[in-house]
Amino acid sequence: ALQLIERGQFPGIDSPVNPYLKRFRLPPPWGDDVTLMQLLPHTSGTTGGGSAQGAHEAMASPSTVDDLEFLIGKENLVRPPGELSLYANIAVALEGTLIEDISGSSLAEYMQANIFDPLGMRDSLLHHHLELPENLVTPVGYFPNGDAQAVLRCFPCRSGR
């Protein structure tokens, strides 16, 4: 998102995002006031409770613009922006939607062309498919005694866990 500011495609970190969202708008009463600076540290007023996505409804991952429109329209912004920092994946998804709407590329395409390729990150990607990508690294968790254990990967969780 900050690259878009550097390139003059978004006016600044304290600018409202609604004028740059093309596929939907954040609703009243506070939607027009939400800025990029409030989305980044999770002070935008979006809900943080409920599911892992920060929604009160179950939601697929990755989320679509239709999912966001439904959830934000239904749950609305629950507090004025800037009032409270509360993590919500909805805010992160809104940042991705903003990048897509401004750049005209999917978030995965944007990240590949503007982050991963320039940095030589040949094995990095945003993966939005049910099939596991090739060369997927198995995450490892460490116990206090130093023992390591592979972390169960659930991509996406089909078992409901």
Side-chain angles (χ1 to χ4, degrees):
L2 298 179
Q3 284 182 343
L4 298 174
I5 295 170
E6 289 175 344
R7 296 173 181 166
Q9 295 176 281
F10 188 76
I13 200 159
D14 292 318
S15 298
V17 297
N18 253 359
Y20 295 87
L21 291 170
K22 296 177 182 173
R23 294 173 283 175
F24 76 100
R25 303 272 186 224
L26 295 171
W30 303 297
D32 287 339
D33 300 328
V34 175
T35 67
L36 179 57
M37 184 58 194
Q38 292 163 335
L39 287 175
L40 294 170
H42 302 277
T43 61
S44 63
T46 55
T47 182
S51 74
Q53 289 83 6
H56 294 286
E57 299 276 337
M59 184 168 130
S61 180
S63 56
T64 65
V65 170
D66 290 339
D67 294 333
L68 292 174
E69 186 173 33
F70 170 76
L71 289 169
I72 289 176
K74 182 175 181 181
E75 296 180 7
N76 222 321
L77 299 174
V78 296
R79 69 189 63 80
E83 186 175 279
L84 177 68
S85 179
L86 185 61
Y87 183 85
N89 284 353
I90 290 173
V92 177
L94 283 167
E95 293 163 26
T97 301
L98 180 69
I99 291 167
E100 289 179 344
D101 285 355
I102 292 172
S103 71
S105 300
S106 72
L107 185 59
E109 293 167 341
Y110 185 89
M111 294 290 291
Q112 193 68 48
N114 294 280
I115 306 290
F116 302 145
D117 288 346
L119 293 174
M121 299 171 69
R122 290 181 300 276
D123 293 322
S124 298
L125 72 148
L126 292 183
H127 188 72
H128 293 146
H129 307 285
L130 293 178
E131 311 81 37
L132 294 175
E134 293 181 27
N135 302 323
L136 185 66
V137 174
T138 299
V140 176
Y142 292 92
F143 294 95
N145 68 1
D147 289 345
Q149 179 181 344
V151 176
L152 176 63
R153 183 175 30 225
C154 191
F155 190 92
C157 280
R158 294 186 186 125
S159 64
R161 292 181 284 158

